[in-house]
Amino acid sequence: MQNAMPDIANTSSAPVQETLEWVGMSDIELPMLVASKGLTPVVVNAKAQAFVNLVDKDAKGIHMSRLFLALDQLSHAEQVTPKEISSTLDAFISSHHDISDQARITLAFELPLRRPALLSNNSGWKFYPVKVDARINAGNVDFEVSVDVTYSSTCPCSAALARQLIQANFERDFANKEIQFNDVHAWLGTTEGVSATPHSQRSVAQIKVRLSGKATEFDFLGLINNIENTLKTPVQTAVKREDEQEFARLNGENLMFCEDAARKIKAALNAQESVLDFWLRINHYESLHAHDAVAIATKGLEGGYQP
């Protein structure tokens, strides 16, 4: 009969006796069927982190295999929902009841969404970075959902300067002349007339929202749609000429500094009752400068997210 294998984590004491906030594993690869309000459950390839705290100063270490096996069970769930994640956190605690009283799971993945073109009868896939961070403490579960939304931002200052140049061109070409509609119409379609355009750049809104531990479902789609509908210039997938022209129109109608984008999103999130708290960072990856323009905002709750 094979001799019992040693279990150092159970039979040895820690040489230095201190508590630890988190101990566990990161970058665990897990395919899972993620459920979200308004979407058919979709298979994603997630990277998971699994942690418990270590409150027993004498314990040599935690049982990492128990965390891994509990996560593996989560990946086999019919749908990954807040309830399923809460059950996995309970399993983390119950398997470490004598040395831990808190647990944490982070799931990071890209959510594929089919997005229609602006005008043409086409569509394409966009993948949105999503992260779910769930924690349990004294039986209370908190959920944090993070999303990144990419959009186009056109500089209001640059637009005003471009308009000024176009006005100067108009004065140069039409001053002291009898103006005819057809002449002006043709002039507006030339680079000699409209000789300047504002600069725009790809931009990213990074959003973190805190949800109630009593949440029964995630709403990744609703959060992403809220941000895109607020900004009005999300990056596109399939684009024909009519779509590109419509995109140019939307950019022209929604000029924004990073401050404008941050204020719009802050107001939109404040209006969502399901969002208990939020943090946002706006990143405009400048085409004029070699540096970026950034704005950060929070809901401003005492004890909540900090800038």
Side-chain angles (χ1 to χ4, degrees):
M1 180 180 295
Q2 185 178 5
N3 293 331
M5 290 181 284
D7 185 353
I8 299 299
N10 271 335
T11 58
S12 298
S13 297
V16 178
Q17 295 184 328
E18 294 288 350
T19 61
L20 298 173
E21 279 76 8
W22 296 117
V23 185
M25 298 169 288
S26 65
D27 286 340
I28 304 167
E29 295 180 327
L30 291 175
M32 54 182 53
L33 192 63
V34 171
S36 173
K37 182 180 180 180
L39 289 176
T40 301
V42 58
V43 175
V44 300
N45 294 317
K47 288 288 186 71
Q49 298 184 79
F51 295 101
V52 292
N53 64 347
L54 188 55
V55 295
D56 185 345
K57 295 181 179 181
D58 292 325
K60 180 74 170 176
I62 70 166
H63 308 283
M64 294 197 183
S65 63
R66 299 177 187 178
L67 303 185
F68 185 92
L69 293 174
L71 275 180
D72 190 62
Q73 288 296 313
L74 178 65
S75 74
H76 284 86
E78 289 186 8
Q79 297 179 15
V80 174
T81 65
K83 180 180 178 181
E84 293 292 341
I85 293 175
S86 295
S87 296
T88 304
L89 290 170
D90 284 334
F92 283 8
I93 294 294
S94 62
S95 64
H96 292 79
H97 64 91
D98 51 342
I99 59 174
S100 304
D101 58 10
Q102 297 182 42
R104 179 179 182 183
I105 294 173
T106 302
L107 303 172
F109 55 89
E110 291 195 331
L111 181 69
L113 294 179
R114 194 74 178 170
R115 296 312 227 181
L118 290 171
L119 292 178
S120 68
N121 190 27
N122 295 295
S123 62
W125 290 105
K126 281 178 68 176
F127 287 75
Y128 294 83
V130 173
K131 185 166 72 172
V132 176
D133 190 351
R135 307 185 189 197
I136 188 170
N137 181 15
N140 297 315
V141 180
D142 290 314
F143 291 100
E144 177 187 276
V145 171
S146 305
V147 298
D148 288 0
V149 176
T150 307
Y151 62 100
S152 173
S153 61
T154 301
C155 175
C157 181
S158 178
L161 294 171
R163 290 193 299 269
Q164 185 184 53
L165 287 175
I166 294 167
Q167 285 177 317
N169 292 344
F170 186 85
E171 183 177 5
R172 176 199 66 200
D173 294 340
F174 289 98
N176 303 318
K177 291 183 180 179
E178 184 178 346
I179 297 176
Q180 299 293 325
F181 172 84
N182 289 338
D183 293 337
V184 176
H185 186 270
W187 181 88
L188 289 171
T190 66
T191 56
E192 290 79 11
V194 183
S195 60
T197 58
H199 73 80
S200 60
Q201 51 271 324
R202 188 178 298 173
S203 306
V204 176
Q206 298 171 282
I207 313 295
K208 292 192 292 188
V209 299
R210 184 159 291 141
L211 307 178
S212 168
K214 298 179 180 179
T216 59
E217 60 183 348
F218 295 118
D219 190 9
F220 306 127
L221 178 62
L223 178 58
I224 291 168
N225 283 346
N226 189 11
I227 302 307
E228 290 192 339
N229 292 337
T230 297
L231 296 172
K232 302 186 186 306
T233 55
V235 296
Q236 301 296 299
T237 56
V239 174
K240 302 292 286 185
R241 278 178 293 178
E242 59 264 39
D243 303 310
E244 187 168 358
Q245 186 179 63
E246 178 67 3
F247 190 66
R249 184 187 71 79
L250 289 169
N251 272 267
E253 287 187 353
N254 296 280
L255 307 173
M256 66 183 97
F257 294 129
C258 63
E259 296 95 327
D260 298 313
R263 286 171 173 143
K264 288 180 179 181
I265 296 176
K266 182 174 182 177
L269 293 175
N270 271 325
Q272 282 196 269
E273 293 183 359
S274 61
V275 174
L276 303 182
D277 196 5
F278 62 80
W279 174 96
L280 65 94
R281 176 182 168 120
I282 300 299
N283 305 277
H284 285 188
Y285 302 125
E286 290 276 348
S287 60
L288 173 63
H289 303 289
H291 54 264
D292 303 326
V294 175
I296 298 173
T298 66
K299 191 174 181 69
L301 300 178
E302 184 176 352
Y305 285 118
Q306 297 300 307

